[in-house]
């Protein structure tokens, strides 16, 4: 359905969105790329000079980079594992009829709406505090030595906080997928003599596979740039024990004012995210055709 | 599906369901409870769950100590501002993509999506420097611009999936009835898409309200919305848990309520229509 | 007034040509039906007239004026869509009033016109309802109401009855025909149903693969189809088309005989065959038989003609009414 008039009107109406996004994306990205080849420190203005691949060599050989890369992967992987397994179990639970189901669902999805800084602070102080926190109290109640979560298990603690925030997302999506499962299909499997476990493995799980892929990909995009939770709880420490790539670049840029080095790190992060993005775009693109 | 479910099974699931729900909700519940305690009670051990002297003192102090409502107002301006500007840009674009698609439409949509996947940290340095040079650091305008841009792809995509569900024939009928393009969008498309536009609005206000990368990096005392302001409580100057809880409760309550209303649209919006 | 002329109009989507160059004259006040199988381009042709699609080449004149590049809103045509395309957020009143509102008419004029249209279409009691609260037939009438209020130069109908059940379809067919007699406005009607075409049209345009196969009055097409396609498309049940020896006897590649032009007898006739299926419709009986050396043939017999599956019958085609077609499919 299109005439010359509607087509040109359409082009006109798309222009602002496309143009603005294009500028938003391309200008800063080009600048980052340019900076990444400069020796450029905000503390030494006017001293910028061409540095070739020096920044990249520094950044990539910095032991902090290795640590940040490992931390990033552990953080993303850990959160994905917790949210996928937990999300599936929660979705199955919420799919059962029980009293107050609607309210429980609201309780379960609530963490997603809590701003990252608030959830990080609440966990850091009121739950994980080694003296006054709830976890410490629980430990003492059972006669155990309270754990100093953020100092002794910093990355694990951050993973817990982030997983708590993203668990509702996985649950909601998997629950939506679960509810779109054809009831007759389950009944047919039951008629064929499949028990609950084999029904789950052969009918439910394959049906959830697509939703799980979506969860993995979208969460990965967001989890690669976890920032506020680390800034508020551990500041990346102790040492670099809970520094991820995003935090490392931030520290380089706004704490050490090393624009060149931070830019090189930014480009590395972009490349890493793109690897994931390619998969996600393919998946959604396929979906668009149907 | 007309099968009787045994009451015992239902009761068992009720117990498990509520237990799990309350455990997950506990941090939020605990924050709300703590906000009504005195600072002394807040760190009492063993903790006091319900039997303590309820007080509203913290809510008053939060304002007097830190100009709390200025930051809340910043949050409102930034999240609503960026969402409304985003909608104004996205509605025409989504109309074009949904009702006048060309061979390139799909590529454009995919490209828009890909901008969303660009990690913020990849453009942090230049944006920071540009904002510094243009005097946009720590201004609400600067944050509105940034949040409009980072949420624009989601707005376009969500609107697109809603518009797609409106039959093109109805828009053609309005054209036959003598409506100009502007009238077609104002009198026919927009009223029909109100539910979709409303949920897009809601989800994006939530996302903008909770955004905590750009707000932390680009704002300070002046323009900081709640997400950035709350972070100032992380300084180890003392244990002000009750006040922190009061500030947090105020910051999350409105968005939690909006979020509960929009839970269905959330799935659709955050998966770019891949899961409905 | 509402004459429409198409001059060498063609349409391509990319490199595929859906409509090769077409010339067509639609006179003022005429009821013209575009008929053809699905995918023949009839809807596209209608949408080109409406202005919802551009013609790739050629010109469209409406009422003597070149409208080829005009927006749909400017052409002064009304359209009734297959899905009715009612505005779901407006009441019946709002739907019918919409084109008048767009034309900037005064409130009182709008009110008069909407109420009189609603009266004609039996919608007066439903003016406050929303479309979703109406039955299929009522929605159809609202769509027609919306089309008639602004007194267009011509009405365009895009398969308007295909979403209705069979009984309602017959009723609406009569109503639309009646409307045409009352308004005397040009109507262009697209359908894939040849019965609708035969019963309603002043002039039928038979389309196939974007080409016009034949233009003429219903009886013209019935009596003298130009080619095999028209012969097979017009008439129900379909004309029997027979190739082979029986056709060669008539010096043709294919011969056609309509079921109503084949006599049936249990005792005598030039063709002999075995009954496969018998359909009793009450007034008529359709007998499907496998005729020796000819193939499957359908014949119409009076309602009381009683035969059973497997019986032998004799068939006599009316020699006067046998159609002969050449190798290229055109009538000889």
């Amino acid at each position: 359905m299109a005439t010359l008039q509607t087509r040109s009107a359409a082009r006109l109406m798309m222009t602002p969105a496309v143009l603005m996004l294009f500028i938003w994306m391309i200008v800063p990205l080009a600048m980052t790329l340019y900076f990444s080849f400069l020796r450029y420190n905000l503390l030494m203005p006017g001293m910028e000079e061409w540095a070739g691949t020096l920044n990249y060599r520094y950044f990539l050989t910095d032991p902090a980079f290795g640590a940040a890369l490992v931390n990033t992967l552990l953080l993303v992987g850990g959160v994905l594992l917790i949210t996928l397994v937990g999300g599936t179990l929660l979705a199955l639970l919420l799919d059962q009829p029980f009293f107050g189901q609607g309210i429980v669902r609201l309780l379960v999805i609530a963490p997603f709406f809590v701003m990252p800084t608030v959830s990080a602070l609440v966990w850091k102080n009121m739950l994980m505090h080694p003296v006054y926190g709830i976890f410490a109290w629980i430990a003492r109640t059972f006669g155990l030595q309270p754990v100093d979560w953020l100092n002794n298990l910093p990355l694990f603690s951050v993973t817990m906080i982030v997983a708590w925030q993203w668990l509702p997302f996985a649950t909601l999506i998997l629950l939506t997928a679960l509810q779109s499962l054809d009831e007759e299909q389950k009944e047919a499997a039951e008629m064929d003599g499949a028990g609950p476990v084999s029904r789950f493995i052969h009918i439910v799980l394959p049906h959830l596979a697509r939703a799980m892929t979506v969860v993995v990909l979208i969460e990965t995009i967001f989890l690669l740039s976890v920032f506020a939770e680390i800034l508020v709880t551990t500041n990346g420490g102790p040492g670099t024990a809970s520094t991820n790539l995003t935090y490392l670049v931030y520290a380089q840029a706004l704490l050490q004012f090393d624009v060149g080095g931070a830019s090189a790190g930014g480009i590395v992060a972009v490349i890493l995210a793109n690897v994931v993005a390619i998969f996600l775009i393919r998946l959604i693109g396929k979906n668009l055709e149907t | 599906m007309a099968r009787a479910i045994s009451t015992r099974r239902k009761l068992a699931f009720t117990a498990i369901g509520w237990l799990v729900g309350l455990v997950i909700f506990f941090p939020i519940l605990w924050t709300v409870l703590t906000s009504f305690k005195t600072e002394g009670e807040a760190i009492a051990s063993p903790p006091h769950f319900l039997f303590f002297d309820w007080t509203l003192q913290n809510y008053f102090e939060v304002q007097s100590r830190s100009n709390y409502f200025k930051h809340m107002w910043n949050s409102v301006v930034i999240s609503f501002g960026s969402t409304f500007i985003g909608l104004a840009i996205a509605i025409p674009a989504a109309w074009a993509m949904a009702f006048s698609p060309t061979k390139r439409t799909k590529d454009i949509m995919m490209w828009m999506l890909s901008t969303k996947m660009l990690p913020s940290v990849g453009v942090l340095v230049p944006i920071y420097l540009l904002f510094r040079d243009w005097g946009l650091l720590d201004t609400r305008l600067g944050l509105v611009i940034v949040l409009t841009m980072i949420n624009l792809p989601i707005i376009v995509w969500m609107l697109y999936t809603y518009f797609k569900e409106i039959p093109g024939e109805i828009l053609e009928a309005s054209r036959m009835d003598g409506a100009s393009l502007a009238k077609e969008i104002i009198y026919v498309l927009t009223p029909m898409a109100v539910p979709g536009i409303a949920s897009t609005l809601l989800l994006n206000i939530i996302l903008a309200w909770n955004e905590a990368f750009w707000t932390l990096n680009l704002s300070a005392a002046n323009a900081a919305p709640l997400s950035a302001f709350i972070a100032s409580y992380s300084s180890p100057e003392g244990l002000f848990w009750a006040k922190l809880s009061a500030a947090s409760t105020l910051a999350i309550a409105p968005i939690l309520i909006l979020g509960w209303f929009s839970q269905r649209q959330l799935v659709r919006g955050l998966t770019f229509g891949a899961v409905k | 007034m509402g004459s429409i002329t198409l001059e060498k109009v063609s349409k391509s989507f990319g490199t595929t040509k859906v409509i090769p160059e077409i010339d067509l004259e639609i006179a003022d006040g005429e009821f013209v039906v575009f008929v053809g199988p699905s995918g023949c381009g009839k809807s596209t042709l209608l949408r080109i007239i409406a202005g919802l699609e551009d013609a790739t080449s050629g010109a469209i004149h409406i009422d003597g004026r070149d409208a080829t590049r005009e927006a749909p809103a400017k052409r002064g045509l009304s359209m009734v869509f297959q899905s009715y395309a009612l505005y779901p957020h407006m009441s019946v009143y709002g739907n019918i009033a919409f084109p008048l509102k767009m034309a900037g008419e005064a409130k009182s004029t709008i009110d008069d016109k909407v109420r009189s249209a609603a009266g004609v279409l039996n919608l007066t009691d439903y003016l406050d309802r929303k479309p979703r609260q109406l039955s299929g037939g009522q929605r159809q009438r609202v769509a027609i109401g919306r089309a008639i209020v602004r007194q267009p130069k011509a009405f365009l109908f895009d398969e308007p009855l295909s979403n209705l059940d069979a009984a309602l379809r017959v009723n609406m067919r009569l109503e639309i025909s009646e409307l045409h007699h009352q308004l005397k406005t040009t109507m262009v009607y697209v359908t894939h149903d040849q019965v609708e075409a035969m019963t309603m049209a002043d002039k039928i345009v038979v389309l196939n693969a974007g080409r016009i196969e034949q233009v003429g009055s219903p009886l013209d097409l019935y009596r003298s189809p130009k080619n095999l396609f028209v012969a097979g498309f017009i008439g129900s049940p379909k004309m029997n088309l027979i190739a082979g020896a029986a056709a060669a006897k008539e010096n043709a590649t294919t011969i056609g005989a309509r079921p109503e032009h084949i006599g049936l007898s249990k005792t005598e006739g030039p063709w002999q065959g075995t009954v496969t299926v018998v359909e009793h419709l009450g007034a008529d009986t359709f007998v499907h038989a496998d005729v020796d050396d000819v193939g499957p043939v359908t014949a119409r017999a009076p309602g009381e003609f009683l035969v059973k599956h497997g019986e032998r019958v004799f068939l006599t085609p009316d020699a006067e009414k046998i159609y002969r077609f050449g190798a290229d499919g055109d009538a000889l």
Side-chain angles (χ1 to χ4, degrees), chain A residues 16-17 19-21 23-25 28, chain B residues 74 77-87 89 116 123 127-128 130-132 134-153 155 208 211 214-215 218 223 225:
Chain A
L19 209 64
M20 289 170 79
L21 267 181
I23 292 171
W24 165 255
M25 185 178 84
Chain B
N74 285 341
V77 170
I78 291 164
S79 56
F80 280 76
S82 65
T83 302
F84 279 110
I85 296 173
L87 276 177
I89 301 168
K116 182 70 203 159
V123 293
I127 295 287
Y128 184 87
L130 288 175
F131 271 38
R132 184 195 62 184
W134 294 339
L136 285 172
L137 279 184
D138 199 19
T139 63
R140 290 195 294 234
L141 176 65
L143 285 177
V144 167
I145 294 173
V146 169
L147 291 188
T148 302
M149 295 320 293
I150 63 169
N151 283 338
L152 190 58
I155 301 183
E211 207 286 329
W214 291 107
T215 53
L218 298 179

Side-chain angles (χ1 to χ4, degrees), chain B residues 103 166-181 183-184 186-193, chain C residues 47 50 52 72-73 77-79 81-90 95 98-99 101-102 146 150 156 158:
Chain B
K103 270 174 272 170
I166 294 172
E169 277 198 347
I170 293 184
L171 299 187
E172 292 183 340
S174 76
R175 261 173 248 172
M176 294 302 295
D177 285 345
S180 63
L181 194 56
K183 283 181 177 168
E184 172 185 327
I186 294 167
Y187 289 114
V188 181
L189 176 66
T190 308
M192 285 179 70
Chain C
R47 291 164 57 82
L52 295 170
L77 307 174
S78 283
M79 184 149 166
F81 291 85
Q82 183 173 5
S83 65
Y84 320 137
L86 300 180
Y87 309 124
H89 56 292
M90 297 182 199
N95 266 281
F98 188 75
K101 215 167 102 185
M102 289 299 108
R146 191 173 65 183
R150 56 175 208 155
L156 310 177
D158 188 6

Side-chain angles (χ1 to χ4, degrees), chain C residues 60-296:
Chain C
I60 299 152
H61 295 271
I62 296 170
D63 198 10
R65 206 163 28 85
D66 186 354
T68 319
R69 294 277 158 237
E70 270 183 349
K74 299 270 156 54
R75 296 191 182 193
L77 307 174
S78 283
M79 184 149 166
V80 175
F81 291 85
Q82 183 173 5
S83 65
Y84 320 137
L86 300 180
Y87 309 124
H89 56 292
M90 297 182 199
S91 63
V92 168
Y93 185 98
N95 266 281
I96 300 177
F98 188 75
L100 300 170
K101 215 167 102 185
M102 289 299 108
E105 301 220 23
K107 264 211 155 76
S108 58
T109 326
I110 294 180
D111 196 60
D112 290 346
K113 286 187 178 171
V114 171
R115 286 187 192 285
S116 83
V120 172
L121 293 161
N122 288 324
L123 287 168
T124 309
D125 295 340
Y126 303 102
L127 281 175
D128 295 329
R129 301 243 185 126
K130 289 279 170 68
R132 63 171 178 278
Q133 298 165 304
L134 301 177
S135 70
Q138 288 165 336
R139 287 180 203 180
Q140 178 69 73
R141 280 203 283 271
V142 177
I144 292 173
R146 191 173 65 183
I148 60 177
V149 276
R150 56 175 208 155
Q151 288 150 332
K153 293 180 186 135
F155 293 102
L156 310 177
F157 293 91
D158 188 6
E159 308 222 16
L161 305 184
S162 54
N163 285 345
L164 298 177
D165 64 55
L168 209 50
R169 207 175 318 171
V170 175
N171 271 338
M172 286 307 300
R173 213 161 73 194
L174 291 173
E175 278 186 43
I176 292 174
S177 293
E178 228 173 83
L179 198 67
H180 181 237
H181 293 305
Q182 276 175 31
L183 301 172
K184 298 187 171 44
T185 310
T186 314
M187 290 188 177
V188 184
Y189 188 106
V190 161
T191 180
H192 62 270
D193 180 357
Q194 60 95 20
V195 178
E196 276 176 31
M198 293 294 281
T199 51
M200 299 167 86
D202 294 325
K203 183 158 97 184
I204 297 179
V205 178
V206 183
L207 288 154
N208 181 31
R211 274 192 326 277
I212 294 183
E213 296 283 356
Q214 191 170 359
V215 179
S217 74
L219 283 180
D220 277 347
L221 300 192
Y222 179 77
R223 280 199 207 109
S224 38
K226 257 190 187 161
N227 54 36
L228 272 175
F229 181 81
V230 179
F233 200 79
I234 300 288
S236 173
K238 278 177 64 161
M239 182 189 279
N240 296 296
L241 296 168
I242 299 150
K249 236 189 274 174
E250 306 279 343
N251 290 324
T253 314
T254 311
I255 55 167
R258 295 194 185 278
E260 53 270 42
H261 300 146
I262 297 178
L264 263 173
S265 156
K266 291 188 178 177
T267 50
E268 57 183 336
W271 291 352
Q272 201 182 2
T274 312
V275 175
T276 52
V277 175
V278 185
E279 295 174 302
H280 292 288
L281 271 65
D284 295 317
T285 298
F286 295 122
V287 177
H288 303 269
D290 200 1
V291 175
D292 308 341
D293 306 326
V294 171

